[in-house]
Amino acid sequence: MEQEALKVKDVTVSFGKKVVLKNISFTVKEGEFWGIVGPNGGGKTTLLRTILGLIKPDTGFIEIYGLSPKEAVKKGYVGYLPQRLESFLPLSGREILSLVVKDEEKLEDLLDLVGMSHKGDVPFTKLSGGERQRILIAMVLAKNPKIFLLDEPNTGIDIVAQDAFYDLLRKIKRERNISLLMVSHDVGVIANFVDKIACLNRTLHYEGDPWKALNCQLLKELYGTDVSVFVHHPECKGCHVFRIS
Ligand SMILES: Nc1ncnc2c1ncn2[C@@H]1O[C@H](COP(=O)(O)OP(=O)(O)O)[C@@H](O)[C@H]1O
Ligand SMILES: [Mg+2]
């Protein structure tokens, strides 16, 4: 039987009187790749912070391999790549990694996994946004998490680098059997790469098959009226645009 990695059950979170997440329930099985989409302010970051045990839900609960978020984080089960990566360390990727990985072979394996062996000695500040991110991903993976949460990691990365980035995430999932939960504003692109999509705007509007999430009625409900969705198909190297109004 497939193991449950993450269970979110009837979770409600509010800040003062404002209910930001309402009765959210879903279950991520071991090794699944989930995308979380929804409008700004829809509660995506709040959901990740709740899974990390930084916010205590008003009602409901979260379990990570049967443990509470705090216990799971303490055991190193949860990796997290935050939305903003501001770092101006004068160190190279290899030096940064050596701060958390003592074993040299393990360090080189990680650099290789994220495709950065050849640029390991370049100062972090000289790397592109996507390359910096790969070094940070290697740092997160150094702790061998079972679940990896990523908050809009593709913001500001061009579309070619973005495809390579998704390929990297799929490789990580395949080689390490890690469950991935990734927040993205780009429902049309993410549908190509993930196993499941959760559409979040205070409540969970949809969870399941990514392609079924690309449905006019659902997107209208989620984002309101008048949004254009760009659907990127790597195979036909083209984009469909459909407009919802
Ligand atoms: N610590 C906080 N205190 C008060 N309100 C917050 C806090 N964090 C988030 N919010 C509010 O909760 C809502 C959801 O925010 P967020 O989870 O960041 O959305 P998203 O990541 O989907 O853009 C927003 O209206 C935001 O202003
Ligand atoms: Mg956010």
Side-chain angles (χ1 to χ4, degrees):
M1 202 186 78
E2 284 165 302
Q3 204 173 354
E4 281 182 4
L6 168 69
K7 182 175 179 152
V8 176
K9 181 76 181 150
D10 295 330
V11 164
T12 294
V13 171
S14 40
F15 296 113
K17 282 197 179 136
K18 184 170 179 188
V19 179
V20 174
L21 297 175
K22 193 171 172 216
N23 282 326
I24 308 293
S25 298
F26 63 95
T27 300
V28 177
K29 299 207 177 101
E30 185 169 85
E32 274 182 349
F33 185 174
W34 279 61
I36 302 170
V37 298
N40 271 337
K44 303 181 296 297
T45 296
T46 302
L47 176 63
L48 294 194
R49 289 171 58 80
T50 311
I51 294 169
L52 280 164
L54 299 172
I55 297 169
K56 197 178 164 338
D58 305 345
T59 61
F61 65 90
I62 288 172
E63 276 178 9
I64 298 162
Y65 286 90
L67 302 176
S68 73
K70 281 213 154 79
E71 288 168 326
V73 167
K74 210 193 270 172
K75 285 192 163 229
Y77 284 8
V78 192
Y80 177 51
L81 190 68
Q83 193 163 355
R84 307 208 172 284
L85 28 113
E86 250 94 61
S87 185
F88 302 100
L89 290 167
L91 301 175
S92 71
R94 196 170 262 119
E95 287 166 333
I96 292 172
L97 264 177
S98 72
L99 300 173
V100 288
V101 187
K102 296 298 163 213
D103 184 289
E104 216 165 288
E105 200 176 323
K106 189 177 169 197
L107 191 156
E108 294 305 324
D109 281 352
L110 281 167
L111 272 181
D112 183 50
L113 177 72
V114 298
M116 287 296 288
S117 296
H118 63 302
K119 288 201 172 175
D121 295 322
V122 177
F124 191 75
T125 47
K126 295 257 159 64
L127 297 174
S128 74
E131 290 166 345
R132 289 180 188 189
Q133 219 161 27
R134 286 170 183 259
I135 297 295
L136 295 173
I137 286 173
M139 284 185 85
V140 173
L141 294 179
K143 297 200 170 161
N144 297 319
K146 290 170 180 285
I147 296 181
F148 190 0
L149 312 177
L150 300 101
D151 199 349
E152 301 204 32
N154 46 354
T155 309
I157 300 186
D158 68 74
I159 199 143
V160 177
Q162 191 161 275
D163 279 3
F165 181 69
Y166 279 110
D167 286 341
L168 169 63
L169 294 181
R170 288 209 295 199
K171 182 168 137 200
I172 289 168
K173 160 190 138 100
R174 209 172 45 239
E175 290 185 9
R176 307 219 158 184
N177 202 29
I178 294 175
S179 314
L180 298 160
L181 209 68
M182 169 169 161
V183 170
S184 170
H185 50 267
D186 212 339
V187 61
V189 176
I190 202 172
N192 279 295
F193 300 97
V194 296
D195 304 314
K196 299 270 177 68
I197 269 189
C199 298
L200 184 68
N201 187 10
R202 199 163 74 101
T203 60
L204 200 57
H205 286 249
Y206 175 81
E207 60 154 312
D209 184 328
W211 290 109
K212 295 207 179 101
L214 292 170
N215 134 339
C216 291
Q217 188 53 40
L218 174 76
L219 290 170
K220 190 168 166 180
E221 230 178 77
L222 185 64
Y223 288 96
T225 52
D226 287 339
V227 292
S228 293
V229 177
F230 295 85
V231 181
H232 172 54
H233 281 279
E235 281 103 53
C236 62
K237 301 203 175 351
C239 288
H240 295 308
V241 182
F242 57 90
R243 191 165 173 78
I244 297 155
S245 50

